[in-house]
Amino acid sequence: MDIDILFMSEKIIDFTGISSSKFYFFPRLVQDRMSQRDDYESLIEKMRNAVKQGYWRTELQIKTDELTTPCWIELRCQITPAAIGWQWNSILIDITQLKQQQLALTIAQQKSHAATIAKSRFLAMMSHEIRTPISGIICLLDLMQPYAQQPELYQIHKNLTLSGDNLLNIVNDVLDFSKLESNKLEIYPQEKSLYKIATILVQPHAIHAAQKGLDFKLWLDPNIAKSLHFDSLRLKQVLNNLLNNAIKFTSQGTIHLNINLLSQQNNQQTINFTITDTGIGIAPQDRHKLFQPFEQIEQNTDRRYDGTGLGLSICHQLIQLMNGTITVSSQPNKGTRFTIALTFDVGQPAEIKSLNKHCGLLSIVNDPILTNYLIAWHCSISRLNVTTKEQLAVAISTQCIDTIFVPQSWA
C-alpha cells in the first residue's frame, strides 16, 4: 500500500506522539502503525468498503509508546478517486474525555445493577423468613377461633386475624416485587375456564361491596371460549388487587367488572378486563405515580387509605409478563377505570346455550347487563309497563311469558 501525504496538521503529534514532519518524510509510518493494531485485518476490510461508499466514520483507540495514556479519536473521512488510487480527506476528533465518561457511566450502571440484585435477594430472603412465622401465627389463630366466642375475645381474635392477614399480604407483595425486580418471576399458563375463575373470584368482592352499600355488577361475554390457556394465579392476583382498590376508594355508587371478547383469530382470543368504580378518582397530575413502586397518591402521614404502594406496580409488571397492556382513565370525584387487554390461546371453543325463553322485564328494571345476557342466550324480551302484582299476573298469562324479572321489592 503506497501512501503520499499532501497535508497533515501539527496536532497529529497529540494523537500519535509523532510529528507531522516525520510523517511527511516517512509516510510508511502510517501503515506501520496500523499493522501493529490487533484489529488490523478488520480495519483494512472496513477501509475497502469505505472506498466503495466514499465516506467513512469510525472510533479508534490509539496506544503508542510515545503517549503516556491511550487516547480515543473519532475519524471522519471523505474519499474521492484520484489519478492514482484515492484521496482521503480526514478529520480526527479527540473523544477521549467522552469515552472516559461513558466508561464511568457503564461502571456506575453495573454497580447499580449489582446493588439492585443484592437488594432483591435480601428482600426475597427476608420475605421468606418473615412469612414462615406469620403463617404459623395465622394457623394458631384459626385453631383458636372456636374458643374465642366471648364478645371481648371474639373482637380481639378478629382484629388479630385481620392484622395477620394484612401483614401476610404485605410480605407477599414484597416477595413478588423482589422476584419481578430480579426477573425471577415466571408465568405458567394452563388450560382453565375463565367463567369459573371469574365467578368464584368476584364473590367475596360482591359481599365486601354490599357491606359498604355499593352495587357490584359482573359482565362475562358469552362468546369467550369455554377454556383458555393462562396463568390463573397471576390473573386472579391482578383482578383481586384492582377490585380491592375499586371498593376501597369508593364510598357510594357501583363497581363494575366487565370481561369482553375483543377479537379472535388464529385460535387466539383477545379479551378486555375493565374494572370501573364511582370513587374518589385520580387527578391528572398524579396518574404517572400509579404504576411506580412505593408510590401513593396520599403521601401525608394521616393517609385515609393503607397500603405499601406496591400493588399497582406488581399488576403492571405481571400484565407485561403476560404480554398484555393495562391503562387507566379517571376523573377526580367521578371514578376510575382500569382496562387490561390480554391474548390467550383457545383450549375449547365457546358454547353458547340457547334458552329460547320468552322473558318479561318490568319497565322499572333497567339493567343493560341482564338484557345483554338474555340476548346472548337467544331469549325474546317483553317490556312490561305494570305497577301492581295483579297487572303483572295478567301480563304473564296473556303474553305467555316463561320467565319474569322483577325488582327485589316485588318479591
Side-chain angles (χ1 to χ4, degrees):
M1 179 170 60
D2 294 329
I3 299 175
D4 289 326
I5 298 175
L6 302 179
F7 170 76
M8 183 175 286
S9 170
E10 292 293 340
K11 286 287 186 180
I12 194 67
I13 193 172
D14 296 336
F15 299 115
T16 64
I18 300 174
S19 65
S20 59
S21 58
K22 192 170 184 179
F23 275 116
Y24 278 123
F25 288 110
F26 306 100
R28 184 78 184 177
L29 283 172
V30 175
Q31 186 176 357
D32 291 342
R33 287 304 174 96
M34 288 176 57
S35 63
Q36 295 173 13
R37 296 181 61 89
D38 296 335
D39 59 349
Y40 175 69
E41 297 297 334
S42 64
L43 200 60
I44 293 297
E45 184 63 29
K46 290 176 182 177
M47 292 176 68
R48 291 194 183 104
N49 292 330
V51 168
K52 299 175 184 177
Q53 300 293 327
Y55 181 77
W56 190 33
R57 178 185 175 278
T58 189
E59 295 177 357
L60 298 172
Q61 187 181 37
I62 299 177
K63 300 178 181 179
T64 66
D65 295 335
E66 292 83 0
L67 295 175
T68 55
T69 57
C71 71
W72 279 88
I73 63 167
E74 179 182 331
L75 181 62
R76 299 179 184 179
C77 305
Q78 193 72 37
I79 309 160
T80 55
I84 301 175
W86 296 271
Q87 180 173 318
W88 290 62
N89 297 307
S90 304
I91 298 175
L92 281 69
I93 303 171
D94 189 350
I95 58 170
T96 304
Q97 185 176 3
L98 176 62
K99 284 294 183 179
Q100 289 173 345
Q101 292 172 345
Q102 289 176 344
L103 178 60
L105 180 60
T106 300
I107 293 172
Q109 288 175 335
Q110 290 173 346
K111 290 182 178 179
S112 175
H113 182 64
T116 300
I117 292 175
K119 177 201 70 177
S120 298
R121 287 176 177 170
F122 173 77
L123 286 174
M125 182 183 68
M126 291 304 299
S127 298
H128 276 297
E129 294 296 326
I130 295 172
R131 190 164 59 172
T132 300
I134 293 174
S135 299
I137 293 170
I138 292 173
C139 288
L140 289 173
L141 287 170
D142 288 340
L143 293 173
M144 288 175 59
Q145 186 175 1
Y147 307 99
Q149 298 304 317
Q150 297 178 13
E152 292 182 359
L153 287 177
Y154 175 80
Q155 192 60 41
I156 292 172
H157 181 273
K158 182 180 178 181
N159 291 337
L160 283 172
T161 303
L162 182 61
S163 297
D165 290 338
N166 288 339
L167 185 56
L168 185 59
N169 288 333
I170 291 171
V171 171
N172 286 335
D173 277 350
V174 173
L175 183 58
D176 283 341
F177 179 75
S178 64
K179 286 181 180 178
L180 287 164
E181 285 284 287
S182 57
N183 297 318
K184 293 293 179 64
L185 197 149
E186 297 182 5
I187 300 299
Y188 298 100
Q190 293 179 315
E191 187 173 343
K192 298 282 186 177
S193 169
L194 185 58
Y195 289 104
K196 291 181 180 179
I197 287 172
T199 51
I200 294 172
L201 177 140
V202 299
Q203 290 176 15
H205 296 291
I207 294 171
H208 186 194
Q211 290 172 343
K212 290 189 67 175
L214 306 173
D215 292 330
F216 190 99
K217 295 186 178 182
L218 168 68
W219 163 253
L220 266 169
D221 193 332
N223 294 298
I224 293 174
K226 185 177 180 181
S227 67
L228 297 160
H229 292 270
F230 60 96
D231 189 327
S232 60
L233 176 66
R234 296 306 175 184
L235 180 60
K236 287 189 291 185
Q237 182 178 353
V238 171
L239 295 178
N240 276 325
N241 188 285
L242 295 176
L243 288 171
N244 277 329
N245 283 348
I247 297 170
K248 180 197 298 185
F249 297 113
T250 303
S251 58
Q252 60 182 359
T254 307
I255 307 297
H256 288 266
L257 171 59
N258 292 336
I259 305 177
N260 284 295
L261 174 63
L262 278 185
S263 62
Q264 179 168 346
Q265 57 182 351
N266 300 327
N267 204 40
Q268 288 184 323
Q269 286 191 341
T270 299
I271 297 173
N272 246 16
F273 300 82
T274 306
I275 296 92
T276 308
D277 64 60
T278 54
I280 60 174
I282 305 161
Q285 65 270 21
D286 290 327
R287 286 180 203 155
H288 72 281
K289 300 178 183 178
L290 285 178
F291 300 123
Q292 299 299 318
F294 304 108
E295 284 283 1
Q296 291 179 308
I297 303 303
E298 292 186 312
Q299 295 290 347
N300 53 315
T301 55
D302 59 341
R303 296 198 321 261
R304 290 172 293 167
Y305 307 103
D306 296 327
T308 60
L310 285 175
L312 287 178
S313 173
I314 292 171
C315 288
H316 184 246
Q317 293 183 73
L318 286 176
I319 293 300
Q320 287 184 322
L321 276 178
M322 291 187 274
N323 298 315
T325 60
I326 179 170
T327 56
V328 60
S329 60
S330 183
Q331 290 185 3
N333 302 317
K334 291 188 176 180
T336 303
R337 171 178 294 178
F338 285 90
T339 302
I340 298 167
L342 292 168
T343 300
F344 304 130
D345 291 332
V346 174
Q348 301 178 54
E351 293 182 359
I352 300 178
K353 296 180 180 179
S354 298
L355 298 180
N356 295 316
K357 298 288 186 179
H358 183 196
C359 300
L361 291 180
L362 268 66
S363 298
I364 58 175
V365 178
N366 184 21
D367 191 336
I369 292 180
L370 174 59
T371 303
N372 289 338
Y373 276 125
L374 294 176
I375 292 172
W377 294 331
H378 302 100
C379 295
S380 58
I381 302 172
S382 293
R383 291 285 177 180
L384 305 178
N385 188 17
V386 297
T387 55
T388 66
K389 293 183 179 180
E390 290 75 15
Q391 292 174 339
L392 178 60
V394 173
I396 292 172
S397 59
T398 57
Q399 298 188 37
C400 300
I401 293 174
D402 300 312
T403 306
I404 185 73
F405 293 89
V406 298
Q408 189 174 1
S409 59
W410 280 50

